Amino acid sequence: MDVDVLVVGAGITGIYQLYRAREAGFSVQLLEAGDGVGGTWFWNRYPGARFDSESYTYGYLFSRELFDEWEWKEHFAEQPEIERYLNHVVDRFDLRRQIRCGTRVTSATYDESAGSWTVVADDGSEYRARFLVAATGILSVPFFPDIPGRADFGGEQHHTGRWPATPVDFAGKRVAVIGTGSSGVQLIPIVAAEAASLTVYQRTPHWCTPLNNAPITPEEQAELRADFDGMCEVLNTSAAGFLHLPHDRATFDDAADERQAFFETMWQSKGFSKLTSNYTDLLFKPAANAEWCAFIAEKIRGIVDDPDTADKLIPKDQRYGEHRPPFVTGYFEAYNRPNVSLVDLRQTPIVRMTTTGIETTDGEQPFDIVVWATGFDFGTGALTRMGIRGQGGIALEEHWAEGPTTFLGIQTAGFPNFFFPGGPHAAAGNNPRYNGDQVDFVTDTLVYVRDHGYDTIEVDPAAEERWTDMVDRWAEQPPSFGKSSYYFGTNIPGKPRRYLLNSGGRPKLFKEIARVRDTDYKAFRLSRSE
Ligand code: NAP
């Protein structure tokens, strides 16, 4: 056996898994496809990419020293700072020598007689590990829509999720951005300020609200340090892993003017608080949701000078929270610039790409650079492309042909000694908090297996079915968060419609983990290899 634990992916989850497994006394190797660490925060280096959860709530909490010595510059850090932070963590905890970058896993095969995994990478290197932990993330495989002629375009093309390491020069260029999800709306204002012209191709407007980012003042830095324990308490127990506390009033408890005033404080509040600290019935009651949407629509009309453009930017058939809400900085304002225009693809769909530009039903427009902000094969994309073969040689992509089935979003039946924290059914909120819970549980489980003299662990199909049923059933119940978004995989042609997050949230995850412990790992089959 080369190592006890082989981790794939050096994103936030994989780095933490490497640290925890090593601290627990396992020999560990981490393989990473990128040339540097960071995972999602390595690949998504497009201008404007930044956290939309508060930096100090997104970073690691396992080390007080780390928290104290790293001063985030802004409440919502930009990608370069995030990448620096993750590199700092890797060096600070001496993890780099166990990380091999530039190594993409192409197959992972379970050896039933040995109870181990054989993993092969694209450079031909081969590893044997008792346990395989894929921390390959949920937003790792960029999605390019199948638009005819894409390969024929002669200019530059970039996807936000595979942004090049060398900066893209927009100055004096005619630029198209396709897609207005969270990535597109972060990028658009930056490009607007640099390019000769920017044309935004929007299929669906989403309910964007201000991020309200700001530098962290020295006083705030001091408060963060002074209240580290209090912050951890909130973050480690919050249902969605955010700091923002729930509100205690429903929409129509307040009179119309009080409601306006409250919505104004929400509009001015930071990031996700507009979702987590808004009126309690916002996501459940259509009339309540409509009040908040009407407020945002009025704001958009107030910011965007051209009424026709403003109207196109206002969602018409989408409740707030039905799609993952994007948070913006200067997004609506960008449309007031003379060099920026908006194409509504519902009115004039793209017909094809040409060698020089984009053709819609309204004609062709030439471009120097086309940016695809068109999202990802979310949740399962990376795992089903890694050549994972479990018991009897079954491929993971076949096992999940109808969508993922998991227990706690960490294991699937038929794939012993294989874990995927931070994968499908993992999170529904502030990702690192959920994924950290999962890594902690995976590590405790590995320790349990080792200390009880077992070699293999595999989830019982009944436990998997119970968790998966819960995920599927709860996802269809109000508030059906993410109903119109890629959270159900519907952005990928041919992908089964199946919920890809943990609809039970952290409370359900905590409860099930406690049950596993209380029942002495009854949800798993444990054995010794021959
Ligand atoms: P996304 O939310 O899936 O948005 C993709 C965009 O591309 C949508 O506007 C979509 O339109 C459009 N699109 C897809 N196919 C198209 C086609 N054939 N023609 C025209 N438009 C098309 O992807 P994303 O913006 O990359 O965001 C993905 C997730 O990454 C976010 O929801 C978030 O979880 C995460 N993210 C986080 C941050 C952060 O600050 N932490 C920043 C960026 C992203 P439709 O809406 O009509 O499908």
Side-chain angles (χ1 to χ4, degrees), residues 41 46 50-52 139 143 145 147 160 178-184 186 203-204 206 323-324 345-346 373-376 486-487 491:
W41 296 106
Y46 58 87
R50 61 173 69 251
F51 287 154
D52 55 18
L139 293 159
F143 167 64
I147 292 174
T160 49
I178 304 173
T180 51
S182 298
S183 304
Q186 284 189 334
R203 189 166 64 182
T204 313
H206 299 296
H323 185 276
R324 194 268 202 197
L345 294 176
R346 304 248 178 223
T374 43
F376 299 86
Y486 58 84
Y487 286 174
N491 62 325

Side-chain angles (χ1 to χ4, degrees), residues 176-465:
V177 173
I178 304 173
T180 51
S182 298
S183 304
V185 300
Q186 284 189 334
L187 171 95
I188 283 164
I190 314 283
V191 178
E194 291 177 20
S197 71
L198 168 63
T199 308
V200 177
Y201 288 84
Q202 170 193 270
R203 189 166 64 182
T204 313
H206 299 296
W207 289 113
C208 299
T209 55
L211 180 64
N212 294 319
N213 189 23
I216 305 178
T217 64
E219 295 73 36
E220 287 170 332
Q221 298 282 14
E223 275 170 37
L224 281 169
R225 266 143 201 79
D227 193 31
F228 177 74
D229 293 335
M231 187 186 81
C232 289
E233 173 67 20
V234 175
L235 289 175
N236 289 333
T237 52
S238 139
F242 291 112
L243 265 189
H244 316 290
L245 299 174
H247 192 42
D248 55 0
R249 292 176 73 74
T251 306
F252 300 104
D253 290 348
D254 284 344
D257 57 334
E258 292 167 326
R259 200 156 48 241
Q260 280 297 108
F262 177 70
F263 281 155
E264 186 59 40
T265 49
M266 282 289 99
W267 180 263
Q268 302 293 343
S269 71
K270 292 202 185 315
F272 271 97
S273 54
K274 294 154 198 95
L275 189 71
T276 57
S277 309
N278 214 315
Y279 285 120
T280 50
D281 54 353
L282 191 91
L283 297 180
F284 297 91
K285 201 173 188 177
N289 201 289
E291 289 281 313
W292 172 234
C293 291
F295 177 88
I296 304 173
E298 238 358 80
K299 284 285 189 190
I300 297 171
R301 286 191 196 98
I303 298 171
V304 179
D305 295 340
D306 174 42
D308 184 44
T309 304
D311 192 56
K312 285 178 184 162
L313 290 166
I314 297 170
K316 302 292 179 305
D317 50 6
Q318 193 186 112
R319 289 192 209 168
Y320 188 81
E322 206 179 285
H323 185 276
R324 194 268 202 197
F327 298 101
V328 293
T329 307
Y331 174 62
F332 295 118
E333 291 81 350
Y335 291 94
N336 293 337
R337 301 179 73 101
N339 63 331
V340 178
S341 54
L342 179 65
V343 175
D344 181 349
L345 294 176
R346 304 248 178 223
Q347 286 173 8
T348 54
I350 295 177
V351 177
R352 63 189 176 108
M353 303 265 299
T354 65
T355 52
T356 52
I358 296 175
E359 184 184 324
T360 67
T361 51
D362 195 32
E364 187 190 347
Q365 211 178 320
F367 294 108
D368 302 304
I369 303 175
V370 171
V371 175
W372 299 88
T374 43
F376 299 86
D377 183 350
F378 179 76
T380 50
L383 289 173
T384 54
R385 284 172 174 80
M386 234 167 68
I388 298 168
R389 303 283 176 270
Q391 272 168 342
I394 182 145
L396 186 62
E397 57 274 25
E398 278 171 42
H399 183 57
W400 283 354
E402 300 305 317
T405 52
T406 81
F407 180 57
L408 309 180
I410 60 151
Q411 254 214 339
T412 189
F415 294 77
N417 291 3
F418 171 53
F419 300 87
F420 42 87
H425 298 180
N430 190 16
N431 282 3
R433 302 283 68 84
Y434 280 83
N435 302 350
D437 300 333
Q438 288 187 313
V439 167
D440 288 339
F441 179 64
V442 168
T443 311
D444 293 349
T445 300
L446 299 184
V447 169
Y448 180 94
V449 172
R450 178 188 65 194
D451 291 356
H452 287 77
Y454 294 112
D455 296 310
T456 63
I457 177 164
E458 178 193 356
V459 67
D460 188 314
E464 174 181 76
E465 197 180 326

